[in-house]
Amino acid sequence: MSNGAEAPLDDFVRELVRADAASGRFGGRVQTRFPPEPNGYLHIGHAKAITLDFELANEFGGVCNLRFDDTNPDTEDTAFVDGIIEDLEWLGYQPNGEPLYASDYFEQLYTWAEHLISQGLAYVDDQDAETISQQRGGFGQPGIESPFRSRTVDENLELFRNMRDGKYEEGSRVLRAKIDMQHENMQLRDPVMYRIRHEPHHRTGNRWHIYPTYDWAHGQSDAIEGVTHSLCTLEFDSHRPLYDWYLSHLPLPGDTPRQTEFARLELTHTVTSKRRLATLVNDGIVDGWDDPRMPTLRGLRRRGYPAAAIRDFCSFIGVSRANSRHQIELLESFVRQHLNATAQRKMAVLDPLRLVITNWPEGQVDEVEVVNNPENSDDGNRLVPFSGELFIEHDDFRADPPPKYFRLTPGREVRLRGAYFVTCTGFDVDEAGKPTTVYATYDPATRGGNAPDGRKVKSTMHWVSAQHAVTGSAALYERLFAAEVPGTETGDPMDDLDPNSVSVLEGCMFEPSMGELEPGEVVQFERLGYFAHDPRTRLLFHRTVGLRDEWARIQQRG
RNA sequence: UGGGGUGUGGUGUAAUUGGCAACACAGCAGUUUCUGGUUCUGCUAUUCGGGGUUCGAGUCCCUGCACCCCAACCA
């Protein structure tokens, strides 16, 4: 497969960066930053931004900072900081130096705010949020200037210092930029720069009583760090004039960074909004941020998605300004591509049916050799015990086979992988007519899985020796959201949650070598799919993704 | 409602910047195979609508339409 090999290494962002380099802007330097707010864990959407930020810097010989945009003490937490650092490292990216924090720049931002006040470009407004909002006007409607807009510099300075010193109640005053209350872009109608919060901050504690807003903090943080290209998602498009306005009125230490927006990543059958993901966790709909159904990095990791597959996917889909939603199947194809090449093969029977070899010598145990990964001969072979009493998959036996059914059925000969040809001679059923035991004879001449006389079989099946099996469980996952685009019908994505998105099979029978799998290891259960060993619970496996299944498609078509 | 952004097969992304619309996923038909996996081959299918400029338009011009974003003291 070649879809991961040739990622499109060109797009409008790279073109723009190249043009900047050619024109000598930033002295040919390229520096980016990944700026998460520590109020949740990273998800697949962040992976796209991370890949862009880091790969771009790398391609142009620059660096990428990790900067926590921690300007809102209400929602942020050090647990998220740690989690984000961990997830970024797992994804495979090394930030430039230590993690940085917008909160480290609070002092500088404060100084610059006083600078704007002194220039008559910012003022303290004593009105409440609702009044300010109303005065902002609406689309196509004029705004109304605040009665406090024309305060003197000295008065503003004094009030602002009192704000900093915690002398006022939350919500009683804000600092606003004095721009234009009639501007057609709402972002420029005197935006709020500082609000009063007496909440302790996860890093600065109780040192500050005022906190900068995103807009006031972001571009300035970029400038302080020497970021050249500040990449963000499309919804900040209308903020760019404000980003530029702040920067243009400040005595910056270096070059003025440039903001560029790109379309965020959306995937079918899932949501990537921190708010909604938090709801899934807090309402107990999933087991936590690392539930294997979650599109979070830690969820995908627990599900068994290789980091390299996620990176390749993100590079492959490229970057544009068109809002779009990728099919989850594309991501899965990258996962299969990586896992096919790397995952060790194991025999696991998820829905066991007893198979008795009637002509097997009483008590004999054979050790048969099977390959660990046909895609990589370096992975070698292993020995698996075979005996007269085995488990096979319920799906692999039919008393009354439908058309095109190649598996075991009365009178038919099939191969047990790496072992022998067996021919079904009979079967028992329970009261409901469900098979309970299948009987077969084996051909000793076919040991190893080939007939000396050259006869062929239509099917090769996996199996586990009953007396040697280790037992465990397997969690099978469906899409968390049944609809391609959650919320299309009712407007609320939560209405499209599939209540049966997970089913856990107990009493699965695994070949003995699976007792030694490492926590988190991902293997292929032959003919079934890729499964990830749970990091905490031994012999619990999460189905990462199934194999392509032609038989399933034949059945679906009827 | 004012402003900004975006429209290319079923999905997503390209097109040497005006020169045979390509790549991947999905689907279909074969091939290979000790996994109904993998491999390999082939097939299906695309420029939002309407005008215009041009030998030639996905690309330029005019016009219409659709979708997304912006009126938090969130980011």
Side-chain angles (χ1 to χ4, degrees), chain A residues 86 184 390:
Chain A
E86 190 182 301
E184 61 198 11
L390 310 161

Side-chain angles (χ1 to χ4, degrees), chain A residues 227-280:
Chain A
V227 167
T228 59
H229 299 269
S230 184
L231 310 177
C232 61
T233 46
L234 239 29
E235 65 268 28
F236 293 103
D237 178 286
S238 60
H239 294 239
R240 182 169 9 109
L242 179 55
Y243 181 100
D244 293 338
W245 188 92
Y246 283 135
L247 259 13
S248 70
H249 291 283
L250 263 15
L252 300 180
D255 289 324
T256 304
R258 194 229 263 239
Q259 172 182 309
T260 303
E261 313 83 24
F262 62 91
R264 65 165 55 224
L265 171 63
E266 305 273 13
L267 285 178
T268 55
H269 299 289
T270 193
V271 295
T272 48
S273 126
K274 266 191 203 165
R275 206 190 92 229
R276 297 229 155 80
L277 295 178
T279 304
L280 292 172

Side-chain angles (χ1 to χ4, degrees), chain A residues 114-183:
Chain A
E114 285 207 354
H115 174 81
L116 286 191
I117 292 171
S118 321
Q119 305 288 306
L121 294 173
Y123 63 97
V124 173
D125 195 330
D126 298 358
Q127 303 179 111
D128 61 25
E130 198 186 336
T131 308
I132 290 175
S133 170
Q134 277 168 8
Q135 289 175 350
R136 191 118 49 205
F139 303 138
Q141 311 285 110
I144 297 165
E145 295 189 352
S146 164
F148 301 98
R149 198 173 197 264
S150 51
R151 289 219 249 233
T152 63
V153 168
D154 287 343
E155 191 183 359
N156 277 320
L157 243 20
E158 189 192 335
L159 289 166
F160 186 49
R161 285 168 187 164
N162 287 342
M163 280 172 64
R164 177 195 58 188
D165 295 340
K167 293 190 178 159
Y168 305 127
E169 280 175 32
E170 288 195 6
S172 62
R173 265 168 254 255
V174 289
L175 184 73
R176 300 177 71 181
K178 191 193 281 193
I179 305 180
D180 180 0
M181 287 306 291
Q182 312 309 327
H183 203 104

Side-chain angles (χ1 to χ4, degrees), chain A residues 16-27:
Chain A
L16 178 151
V17 172
R18 216 181 305 118
D20 282 347
S23 74
R25 187 168 176 175
F26 307 118

Side-chain angles (χ1 to χ4, degrees), chain A residues 165-222:
Chain A
D165 295 340
K167 293 190 178 159
Y168 305 127
E169 280 175 32
E170 288 195 6
S172 62
R173 265 168 254 255
V174 289
L175 184 73
R176 300 177 71 181
K178 191 193 281 193
I179 305 180
D180 180 0
M181 287 306 291
Q182 312 309 327
H183 203 104
E184 61 198 11
N185 182 345
M186 291 296 163
Q187 302 299 333
L188 301 220
R189 314 251 268 220
D190 288 12
V192 170
M193 296 167 60
Y194 277 97
R195 69 284 208 188
I196 299 171
R197 277 296 112 85
H198 298 302
E199 198 75 16
H201 183 276
H202 67 104
R203 293 192 78 246
T204 61
N206 296 310
R207 189 148 74 241
W208 291 89
H209 295 94
I210 54 173
Y211 290 90
T213 55
Y214 165 86
D215 288 297
W216 172 241
H218 205 93
Q220 285 59 256
S221 301
D222 287 340

Side-chain angles (χ1 to χ4, degrees), chain A residues 9 13-14 30-36 42 46-67 84-85 87-89 91-100 229 231 262 297 311 314-315:
Chain A
L9 285 176
V13 177
R14 277 167 245 254
V30 174
Q31 184 173 330
T32 58
R33 100 274 88 115
F34 172 62
L42 264 24
H46 292 109
K48 175 181 179 178
I50 291 168
T51 305
L52 211 212
D53 283 323
F54 281 87
E55 297 290 351
L56 185 79
N58 185 44
E59 282 163 41
F60 287 86
V63 293
C64 178
N65 291 348
L66 168 62
R67 178 173 77 235
I84 288 168
I85 291 172
D87 290 345
L88 181 66
E89 189 184 341
L91 226 208
Y93 290 104
Q94 184 68 45
N96 175 41
E98 290 300 303
L100 304 170
H229 299 269
L231 310 177
F262 62 91
L297 260 26
R311 275 187 262 124
C314 289
S315 295

